Amino acid sequence: MNYIIIEAQTSNGSTAIVTPIPVYGDRIEAEAVFLEKCSYARRSGLNTHTVVWMDQEGNQIARKVFHGTQA
C-alpha cells in the first residue's frame, strides 16, 4: 500500500499545493511525515494550512486544518 501526503497553504485568498507531493510505501514513515508537516503547519501563521494523509485509493486517513494570521 502506498500513502500520500498533500499540503495546501492559503494566504491572502490564494491557495497553493506544496509540491512535490510525496508518496510513501511504509505506513509508519507516512504517519511520521504527516505529523512533522502538521507541526510546521501549526506554527506557519498562514490563513489556512491543511495537511491530508491518504492511501493510494484516495481514502483519507487523517486531515488537519490550522488557521493563523499572516505575520
Side-chain angles (χ1 to χ4, degrees):
M1 178 73 65
N2 287 315
Y3 301 95
I4 302 155
I5 309 291
I6 297 175
E7 185 178 356
Q9 299 178 356
T10 300
S11 178
N12 299 320
S14 179
T15 300
I17 302 298
V18 177
T19 57
I21 298 173
V23 176
Y24 302 92
D26 180 79
R27 184 180 175 97
I28 293 172
E29 181 183 9
E31 182 177 19
V33 171
F34 172 77
L35 293 171
E36 287 172 7
K37 289 183 177 289
C38 285
S39 175
Y40 172 76
R42 180 67 216 129
R43 298 183 312 263
S44 73
L46 293 170
N47 298 125
T48 306
H49 200 150
T50 304
V51 184
V52 180
W53 172 20
M54 66 179 143
D55 68 18
Q56 65 194 24
E57 296 176 347
N59 298 307
Q60 183 177 295
I61 297 167
R63 175 180 63 100
K64 292 293 286 182
V65 179
F66 302 96
H67 299 282
T69 55
Q70 279 300 111

